[in-house]
Amino acid sequence: MGKFELSHRVVLAPLTRQRCLGYVPQPPMILYYSQRTSKGGFLIAEAAGVSDISQTSPEMPGIWTKEQVEGWKPIVDAVHAKGGIFFCQLIHVGRVLDTAITINTFLIYAFQLVPNGKSPVSSSNKKLAYQQRSPKKLTTQEIPLVVDDFRVAARNAIEAGFDGGEIHGAHGYLIDQFLKDEIIDRTDEYGGSRCRFALEVVDAAVKEIGGDKVGIRLSPFANYSESGDSNPETLGLYMAESLNEFKILYCHMVEPRMKSVFEKVDCLDSLIPMRKAFKGTFISAGGYGREDGNKAVAENRTDLVAYGRLFLANPDLPKRFELNAPLNKYDRSTFYTRDPVVGYTDYPFLETTI
């Protein structure tokens, strides 16, 4: 993978775990990531916000302040101490800043408290079905400021010790809100070319830290947070081809079968056209197990496969795959709790289960 020598093709996918405090990474994350590190393994950290209105919860990390950068350093050091390659995912959630949460079966609407009374921002002023306020439609004068937030975040990731940064352009967050025609309704240059904002972010990151340290995650076929597209294959193919200009390290795409959160459906669409078009390392994600992951690599449909829930529950997942050993079952109820141990660092290793 570029200058990086990997020992296997099993990637830790970026996973929100909500174990931070005030957007600052916390010590339990050192053990969590270290547990999932193997020599020559590739890990992508959970999404880190690029600005003070870029994250949905203070329990999620940021990468826009010095304190946050310092919080990441011992985590990155622990991964490097075990020979892992570690990238930081960079995110701006856009209009998803205001979230809906379910408590005891009741849907609760939550305004995200942000500094100076700022509102969520997006490519348009369309709000999600559950939201009570519309996002602010970014102006052409404001968009470059957001691009610069990503640039600074990429620089901060390198300062924290990460080997590179992955731009989160998927799953209905801000970049996806510009890419998808269900949301964007602009008539300016960012509407005429829906990919412009995404590519400007890529360009800024590449110029700041180098294309060999930049990846991007895309989900052209997914419809997270009302972010569908009428022609996702054309969108995905255009992005894959356009990214070649910037010579970025990798493109990380979500399989078409993953239409929404935790929903895997039968689907005839494929990432193969995008895989063929993109000239760097290609990573596939979305509901993979051991067998279909091996098959995807054997058939040259991908270079690497990212695993989320299975890696969450099996810190030694590459070893288990190598030995075709049984897997721990994940406990979905602990995915987003604040507990620093339960459902976080207490999943057993193979040698403790035999």
Side-chain angles (χ1 to χ4, degrees), residues 151-171:
R151 179 191 64 80
V152 173
R155 183 186 67 202
N156 287 346
I158 299 303
E159 184 182 339
F162 284 102
D163 298 295
E166 176 181 284
I167 296 162
H168 198 336
H171 294 162

Side-chain angles (χ1 to χ4, degrees), residues 2-24:
K3 65 181 180 182
F4 303 106
E5 293 291 332
L6 306 185
S7 61
H8 55 79
R9 300 173 187 267
V10 182
V11 178
L12 174 66
L15 298 167
T16 295
R17 300 307 313 274
Q18 291 192 316
R19 264 70 175 188
C20 296
L21 184 63
Y23 306 106
V24 178

Side-chain angles (χ1 to χ4, degrees), residues 1-2 4 11 14 42-45 86-89 164-167 211-217 243 247-253 278-283 303-304:
M1 186 176 72
F4 303 106
V11 178
F42 182 39
L43 298 81
I44 307 170
F86 203 15
F87 271 45
C88 181
Q89 191 183 65
E166 176 181 284
I167 296 162
D212 60 337
K213 302 180 189 70
V214 174
I216 190 169
R217 194 179 214 208
L243 290 168
K247 296 181 172 59
I248 65 170
L249 182 64
Y250 70 81
C251 180
H252 181 184
M253 280 205 181
F278 183 68
K279 295 178 181 177
T281 298
F282 197 83
I283 306 175
D303 295 305
L304 309 174

Side-chain angles (χ1 to χ4, degrees), residues 332-346:
R332 195 186 300 276
S333 70
T334 62
F335 281 5
Y336 308 117
T337 62
R338 278 57 167 175
D339 196 298
V341 176
V342 177
Y344 193 56
T345 57
D346 63 346

Side-chain angles (χ1 to χ4, degrees), residues 281-297:
T281 298
F282 197 83
I283 306 175
S284 297
Y288 275 99
R290 178 181 182 272
E291 298 306 321
D292 58 349
N294 280 334
K295 185 177 180 182
V297 170

Side-chain angles (χ1 to χ4, degrees), residues 11-153:
V11 178
L12 174 66
L15 298 167
T16 295
R17 300 307 313 274
Q18 291 192 316
R19 264 70 175 188
C20 296
L21 184 63
Y23 306 106
V24 178
Q26 297 297 299
M29 296 167 65
I30 300 171
L31 179 59
Y32 172 77
Y33 282 105
S34 176
Q35 286 179 331
R36 286 153 185 81
T37 303
S38 54
K39 186 176 182 180
F42 182 39
L43 298 81
I44 307 170
E46 60 206 86
V50 302
S51 72
D52 59 4
I53 57 167
S54 66
Q55 276 289 37
T56 56
S57 164
E59 286 77 32
M60 299 175 188
I63 193 83
W64 74 85
T65 72
K66 181 68 175 176
E67 184 182 11
Q68 292 159 1
V69 169
E70 292 300 316
W72 277 115
K73 285 182 177 179
I75 302 167
V76 177
D77 289 345
V79 170
H80 285 161
K82 294 181 70 174
I85 294 102
F86 203 15
F87 271 45
C88 181
Q89 191 183 65
L90 310 175
I91 190 173
H92 193 308
V93 301
R95 67 176 182 173
V96 187
L97 187 71
D98 287 347
T99 59
I101 56 176
T102 303
I103 302 177
N104 297 330
T105 74
F106 291 98
L107 188 67
I108 307 297
Y109 178 72
F111 278 129
Q112 174 67 3
L113 298 176
V114 295
N116 304 318
K118 296 178 183 177
S119 298
V121 297
S122 186
S123 63
S124 78
N125 58 11
K126 294 179 184 176
K127 61 183 179 181
L128 292 162
Y130 62 78
Q131 290 179 328
Q132 296 174 5
R133 62 174 173 174
S134 296
K136 181 185 186 303
K137 183 176 181 176
L138 286 166
T139 67
T140 53
Q141 291 75 38
E142 292 168 327
I143 289 172
L145 302 178
V146 181
V147 171
D148 199 60
D149 286 337
F150 276 95
R151 179 191 64 80
V152 173

